[in-house]
Amino acid sequence: MTRKEVKVPSSRLSRASKFSGLLAKVATNVAYNGTKQLFSGNKPSVSDLVLTPSNLQKLTNELAAMRGAAMKLGQLLSMDAGELIPPELSHILAKLRDNAHAMPHKQLVTVLRDAWGDNWVDNFAYFNLKPFACASIGQVHIANDDSGKKLAIKLQYPGVSNAIKSDVDNLGRILKLSGLIPKQVDLNTLLEKTAEQLINEANYQLEASYIETFSDKLDKTQFALPNVSPLSTQTILVMSFTEGMPIEQASTLPEEIRNHIVKSLFSLFFVELFELKLMQTDPNFANYVFNNETQTIGLLDFGATREILPTISNGYLSLFTALSNQDSTQIEDAARTIGFFKQDIDTTYLEQILALFDIASMPLRFDGEYNFATCTIATQLRTQSVTINKRKDQWHTPPVDALFIHRKIAGLYLIAKRLNAKVNVKQLFAKYAKEAK
């Protein structure tokens, strides 16, 4: 696939200028369309004026061109904050997940020279200048070292690390301008915590340390992880290439193998949350491969790894135990401890939130192999969310850790459904439930 090449704006000034231009375009369209509708006898809301196809397309195009935190935050919003943003905006932002552009050749070579000098190519027997993959913070290239060993090299886009805070602040300004986020939602805290996570994600030396930790702790008969090369820097990650088929292609394999893959991924989730207290929170399909020859799952990307506080880990242990046992009183107590509810939450609204937990925990509550092929959890959650969305006066900012944990769960459900797997999730959790007693 030939990717469109678009230069990444690398200075804070150029990135801020991009945002200012975007704000000006949106504001101009809002004023023009607002005046036009007023003369027609209509009284449109600000959000209606912001959410025009033209404005949404401009937003998507600009974020895709800028990459970095701007694009990453758009991706996170589209996946994690469905209850906070309208479906129209979510649909447009979802395009950001598959719309990353490549750096132009000249900018790419500059990045390589800045890292390893003019003779950078001497480090490799072969280096493919066409990217193997492009994402929000960096792009991946295939290379070979002098011994012929295949490498995956993740190059960070220039300037994105230093501009994360300002990018997030500027995107926050656009969200506030839209009037889409209710006052009850602490948007500033959400943006601040997201910026912290993205700063960590842009630190490739930190990612390398996470790879080492997971390599030491995980069963190598189940999981394959890359080895990190000494050539790596804070903005370039040089790793051994992990062989395998894209995880979604495993849907053509026999049922026993498909079930094994999904069972292993759910087991890994519980290990991350309750044992390691360290979780790779991005369950994107592209972050997994399956090697049918070795029967191992390749884990490719640890940039979105997040340390889980013991209080959060213990809170989810109590919550999952209560959900597994279908103990409504304990479910409410555990959810309050984690921070899902305000103290003065309305009784009816509380029941609606607890109904969401009930839907989302179906695999955990099911006594036997849960058939993800017929799973309708996502549809049921969307239906229930419509009811909740009508009670904006009761909206409450969820714990940031919870957003990332739920993102991982939702991603695992998608993988399980794509592979038509059957897994006894309740049984996998059983040993942790015993420890909670």
Side-chain angles (χ1 to χ4, degrees):
M1 180 180 68
T2 302
R3 294 182 179 273
K4 182 179 179 180
E5 294 184 351
V6 177
K7 184 177 180 180
V8 182
S10 56
S11 71
R12 291 188 186 183
L13 181 61
S14 62
R15 298 180 74 82
S17 176
K18 286 273 189 182
F19 272 112
S20 296
L22 177 58
L23 273 170
K25 290 175 184 176
V26 171
T28 299
N29 285 345
V30 166
Y32 173 76
N33 291 321
T35 302
K36 185 177 178 181
Q37 292 198 38
L38 284 172
F39 274 115
S40 300
N42 299 321
K43 293 183 178 180
S45 66
V46 174
S47 59
D48 288 338
L49 294 172
V50 171
L51 289 175
T52 63
S54 175
N55 283 341
L56 291 175
Q57 194 61 55
K58 284 184 173 66
L59 177 65
T60 304
N61 292 342
E62 288 294 341
L63 297 185
M66 292 178 72
R67 275 84 104 200
M71 183 176 180
K72 188 73 175 183
L73 187 55
Q75 293 173 336
L76 288 173
L77 283 171
S78 72
M79 293 183 70
D80 305 326
E83 72 278 11
L84 302 182
I85 59 179
E88 300 92 341
L89 182 54
S90 180
H91 175 72
I92 293 292
L93 292 177
K95 294 182 179 180
L96 293 173
R97 295 202 292 273
D98 306 305
N99 198 29
H101 303 311
M103 284 185 284
H105 177 81
K106 184 177 180 181
Q107 190 173 37
L108 168 62
V109 172
T110 299
V111 169
L112 294 168
R113 283 176 175 163
D114 288 345
W116 295 315
D118 289 340
N119 297 322
W120 65 269
V121 73
D122 293 343
N123 293 304
F124 309 97
Y126 166 79
F127 191 104
N128 191 338
L129 292 173
K130 293 293 183 183
F132 174 74
C134 296
S136 56
I137 291 179
Q139 59 190 49
V140 180
H141 291 258
I142 301 300
N144 293 98
D145 63 15
D146 288 336
S147 67
K149 183 179 179 181
K150 192 174 182 181
L151 304 172
I153 301 178
K154 187 159 73 168
L155 302 172
Q156 190 170 124
Y157 299 127
V160 300
S161 179
N162 293 331
I164 286 174
K165 186 66 171 65
S166 59
D167 275 6
V168 171
D169 287 344
N170 285 321
L171 192 52
R173 288 168 58 202
I174 294 176
L175 289 172
K176 290 174 184 177
L177 170 71
S178 72
L180 297 171
I181 310 298
K183 293 183 294 183
Q184 292 81 2
V185 175
D186 187 357
L187 180 63
N188 289 335
T189 297
L190 285 176
L191 293 176
E192 179 185 344
K193 295 297 183 181
T194 301
E196 291 175 4
Q197 176 65 28
L198 294 178
I199 288 170
N200 287 339
E201 197 164 334
N203 184 342
Y204 287 178
Q205 289 178 335
L206 180 61
E207 181 176 353
S209 72
Y210 286 143
I211 293 173
E212 183 177 350
T213 297
F214 277 95
S215 295
D216 289 341
K217 301 294 185 181
L218 298 186
D219 184 352
K220 291 181 173 57
T221 65
Q222 281 188 299
F223 301 103
L225 285 82
N227 297 313
V228 179
S229 164
L231 282 172
S232 300
T233 70
Q234 188 159 326
T235 56
I236 297 182
L237 193 55
V238 182
M239 304 167 286
S240 58
F241 188 88
T242 303
E243 299 286 354
M245 67 175 69
I247 196 73
E248 60 267 34
Q249 289 184 15
S251 61
T252 62
L253 298 176
E255 181 180 15
E256 181 182 356
I257 296 177
R258 290 183 277 113
N259 292 347
H260 164 73
I261 293 171
V262 176
K263 179 180 177 181
S264 296
L265 290 176
F266 273 102
S267 296
L268 174 60
F269 169 75
F270 290 135
V271 168
E272 290 176 312
L273 183 56
F274 301 127
E275 296 181 35
L276 300 181
K277 296 179 179 58
L278 189 68
M279 181 177 291
Q280 197 284 75
T281 62
D282 185 0
N284 191 304
F285 284 111
N287 290 339
Y288 304 96
V289 294
F290 180 69
N291 190 318
N292 200 24
E293 183 177 334
T294 62
Q295 293 290 291
T296 55
I297 300 168
L299 307 177
L300 306 184
D301 192 306
F302 290 84
T305 300
R306 186 174 182 84
E307 296 180 19
I308 306 298
L309 294 172
T311 52
I312 295 293
S313 176
N314 293 334
Y316 272 94
L317 181 56
S318 298
L319 178 61
F320 287 178
T321 301
L323 288 167
S324 179
N325 296 332
Q326 301 184 50
D327 186 329
S328 57
T329 301
Q330 291 299 318
I331 292 171
E332 181 180 339
D333 290 344
R336 283 187 185 275
T337 299
I338 294 172
F340 282 105
F341 311 135
K342 297 185 295 184
Q343 290 301 316
D344 58 346
I345 187 171
D346 176 82
T347 302
T348 303
Y349 187 74
L350 172 61
E351 292 174 353
Q352 293 169 348
I353 294 294
L354 291 176
L356 282 178
F357 285 119
D358 188 62
I359 295 168
S361 64
M362 284 181 184
L364 185 63
R365 293 185 289 109
F366 188 78
D367 192 7
E369 290 189 335
Y370 184 82
N371 187 354
F372 283 94
T374 59
C375 169
T376 59
I377 292 175
T379 302
Q380 291 185 60
L381 287 176
R382 279 195 294 270
T383 301
Q384 180 65 14
S385 294
V386 170
T387 302
I388 292 174
N389 284 347
K390 296 176 181 177
R391 296 295 308 277
K392 293 185 179 182
D393 61 306
Q394 289 290 315
W395 281 12
H396 172 59
T397 309
V400 174
D401 282 320
L403 290 179
F404 285 99
I405 292 170
H406 293 184
R407 178 193 190 199
K408 181 67 173 269
I409 295 172
L412 291 180
Y413 284 3
L414 286 174
I415 293 173
K417 188 172 181 65
R418 179 70 65 88
L419 297 190
N420 296 320
K422 297 177 182 177
V423 178
N424 193 328
V425 179
K426 187 181 183 74
Q427 185 180 66
L428 292 176
F429 175 68
K431 74 170 185 175
Y432 299 102
K434 290 179 181 177
E435 294 173 3
K437 294 180 179 179

